Amino acid sequence: MMIFESHAHYDDEAFDADRGELLASLREHGIDKVINVGASLDSCKATLRLMKAYPFVYGAMGVHPSETAKLNEQNFAWLAEQCACEKVVAVGEIGLDYHWKEPEAAVQKRWFERQAELARQVGLPMIIHSREAAKDTLDMMKVFRAGEIGGVVHCYSYTKEIAREYLNMDFYFGIGGVITFKNSKKLKEAAAYIPLEKILLETDSPYLAPEPYRGKRNSSLHLPAIAQALAELKGITYEEVVETTCRNAYRLFRIAE
Ligand code: NI
C-alpha cells in the first residue's frame, strides 16, 4: 500500500542540490505517485520536464494568485496548450491569496476565473489555493459553478462551516503538515468533520513541514507523519488513511490504477 502525494513543488530551488536522488528514493519509502503543481509559468515549464523525467510524476498547470500579474493573453494561450499534454491531470494552483497584497484582488479574480474556465474547457479538475480569502473564493466558485468542474482545495485552512460549503460542491480537501501543529485547532476540527473519502494527503513541499520538522525543508518523505496524525484525529488506522486517500486521488485526477 502506497501513499499518493497530491501537492508538491519539486521544481523549487530548495531541491536543486538533491532533487534526482530524493525523487528516486520516494518509492522505497512507500510514496507511489507525485503531483508536481505549477505556480508560475516557469514552474509549469519545470513541471513538464519533471513529468518527462520521472514516470511517477504527474503535473498540474496553473498560475498562483500572487503570480497572476505576469499573465497575458499570449502566455495564457501557452498555458492552455500545455493542459493537453499527457500526464497533466489538473489546472492549478489557482485561486485567491489576500495574505499578499499584490497583485490587487481584481487582477487575482480575473485570472482565477479565466483559469477555472480553462479547467472546464479541457475537462480537468482544479487545484485551488485560497488564503485569507474564504468568502471571495466561495462566492466566485458558486458563480462559475465550480461543482461542475470539480477539484481540491489544497492546504485547507478554513473552518468546518466553510468545509461544508465545499462539500456541497463535491470538492476534495488537501490536508498537509499543518495538521500536526499544536496550534491548528481550527483545522483539526475541520479535518475531523470532513469525510475521509474527500481528503487527499499533500505536503506542499518544500513548505509546511510537519512536526517535529516544522520550519525545515519539507519533502514527500514526511507524508507518513501526516497520515499518522490524521489517523489519530479520526480514530482510524494508518492503513485506512493511506489506502482511502490514495484511492481518492486516483479518482479525482482520473489516473488509471
Ligand atoms: Ni503549493
Side-chain angles (χ1 to χ4, degrees), residues 30-236:
I31 318 300
D32 175 28
K33 299 232 178 329
V34 173
I35 297 188
N36 202 75
V37 180
S40 63
L41 292 162
D42 282 344
S43 70
C44 285
K45 283 175 198 149
T47 296
L48 293 166
R49 286 196 294 273
L50 287 172
M51 282 162 38
K52 286 198 181 86
Y54 299 92
F56 56 89
V57 174
Y58 291 73
M61 293 291 120
V63 173
H64 184 285
S66 303
E67 293 283 327
T68 47
K70 291 173 191 137
L71 279 169
N72 55 46
E73 290 306 323
Q74 198 183 352
N75 56 31
F76 183 74
W78 176 86
L79 189 72
E81 265 172 47
Q82 307 319 307
C83 291
C85 293
E86 206 193 330
K87 288 171 78 191
V88 168
V89 293
V91 172
E93 54 187 290
I94 61 174
L96 301 173
D97 192 324
Y98 294 170
H99 180 76
W100 308 109
K101 299 295 170 213
E102 300 287 324
E104 60 182 271
V107 173
Q108 295 191 29
K109 285 181 177 174
R110 181 184 330 132
W111 290 109
F112 180 25
E113 186 167 6
R114 287 294 297 278
Q115 293 184 92
E117 280 169 18
L118 170 62
R120 181 190 295 277
Q121 266 169 29
V122 296
L124 291 177
M126 300 182 283
I127 297 176
I128 306 274
H129 171 104
S130 177
R131 187 177 184 194
E132 296 173 27
K135 184 174 187 304
D136 280 8
T137 307
L138 262 179
D139 287 350
M140 283 188 70
M141 287 171 70
K142 283 176 185 163
V143 169
F144 60 63
R145 299 192 309 278
E148 297 171 1
I149 306 167
V152 55
V153 186
H154 121 80
C155 193
Y156 186 72
S157 60
Y158 297 139
T159 60
K160 178 179 156 180
E161 286 70 31
I162 293 174
R164 186 178 304 131
E165 302 254 13
Y166 283 117
L167 280 171
N168 287 340
M169 289 190 253
D170 209 23
F171 260 66
Y172 289 78
F173 299 77
I175 302 287
V178 178
I179 194 89
T180 68
F181 297 175
K182 283 184 184 67
N183 57 355
S184 66
K185 188 166 165 270
K186 185 176 72 170
L187 173 62
K188 283 179 185 134
E189 245 174 52
Y193 165 76
I194 299 165
L196 186 63
E197 284 65 32
K198 287 300 190 187
I199 292 177
L200 307 183
L201 297 182
E202 66 164 68
T203 59
D204 205 16
S205 294
Y207 312 107
L208 296 172
E211 293 288 0
Y213 311 101
R214 193 170 176 179
K216 302 214 168 78
R217 185 186 78 169
N218 199 6
S219 86
S220 306
L221 298 178
H222 293 321
L223 281 165
I226 295 164
Q228 185 58 40
L230 193 58
E232 282 166 23
L233 182 75
K234 286 191 166 293
I236 54 179

